[in-house]
Amino acid sequence: MINSQDVFHGALAPAGIYLAACLLIAWWFNRKTKSDKTAFAAADARPSLAQVALAIGTVLAILTLLGGVATGYFYAVEAAAMGGFVLLLAGIVSGRLTLSVLDEVLRDVLALTGSLFFLLVAATR
C-alpha cells in the first residue's frame, strides 16, 4: 500500500524540475524587457520591519510544514489543514476576510469539491 509520504517524496523531484523550468522560461521571455524605473522609484527602497518579520514568518511556516511532512512527523493532509487554518485566522485577524468574501470562497470550494467528487465517482464505475 502506498501512503501520502511516499507520494510526497515521489513528487519532490518533478516539482523541483517544474519550478526550475518555470523560472527559466520566465527569465528567457523577460530578459530583454525594459524595466520601468518610475514604478521602482515610487516604491520604498527598504521594506519595513513588519514586512520583514512577516516574510520570515511565512518562510519558516512553509519550511516547517514541508519539513514535517518530509520527515514523517505529520501527513501531507494534516500540513495542508494547518496551513489553511493559519491562513483563515490571518484573514480574519487582518480584517481582509469579510463575510461576503468568505461566502464567495466557500461557494467556489463547494463547486470545485462537487466536481472532483463527480470525477471520482465516474472513475470508479
Side-chain angles (χ1 to χ4, degrees), residues 8 20 37 41 51 62 67 72 74 84 86 95 99 101 109 116 123 125:
F8 178 76
K37 301 211 185 245
Q51 291 171 330
I62 290 171
F74 36 82
V86 168
L99 287 178
V101 172
V109 166
L116 291 174
R125 296 285 169 188

Side-chain angles (χ1 to χ4, degrees), residues 6-106:
D6 294 335
V7 173
F8 178 76
H9 288 210
L12 280 177
I17 293 169
Y18 178 74
L19 177 62
C22 288
L23 291 173
L24 181 67
I25 290 169
W27 170 80
W28 181 261
F29 284 108
N30 293 306
R31 69 187 189 283
K32 293 182 181 177
T33 303
K34 302 282 186 199
S35 65
D36 185 14
K37 301 211 185 245
T38 58
F40 292 114
D44 289 337
R46 303 187 87 175
S48 68
L49 186 59
Q51 291 171 330
V52 170
L54 180 63
I56 290 172
T58 302
V59 169
L60 286 176
I62 290 171
L63 290 177
T64 301
L65 291 175
L66 289 177
V69 172
T71 57
Y73 283 110
F74 36 82
Y75 293 110
V77 174
E78 293 169 340
M82 285 186 281
F85 180 73
V86 168
L87 288 174
L88 176 70
L89 268 178
I92 291 170
V93 169
S94 69
R96 294 183 181 204
L97 186 61
T98 61
L99 287 178
S100 62
V101 172
L102 184 60
D103 180 53
E104 184 179 338
V105 168
L106 289 177

Side-chain angles (χ1 to χ4, degrees), residues 104-120:
E104 184 179 338
V105 168
L106 289 177
R107 288 180 190 276
D108 289 344
V109 166
L110 285 172
L112 181 63
T113 303
S115 301
L116 291 174
F117 273 112
F118 174 75
L119 290 173
L120 178 66

Side-chain angles (χ1 to χ4, degrees), residues 1-4 6:
M1 180 168 208
I2 191 167
N3 63 22
S4 59
D6 294 335

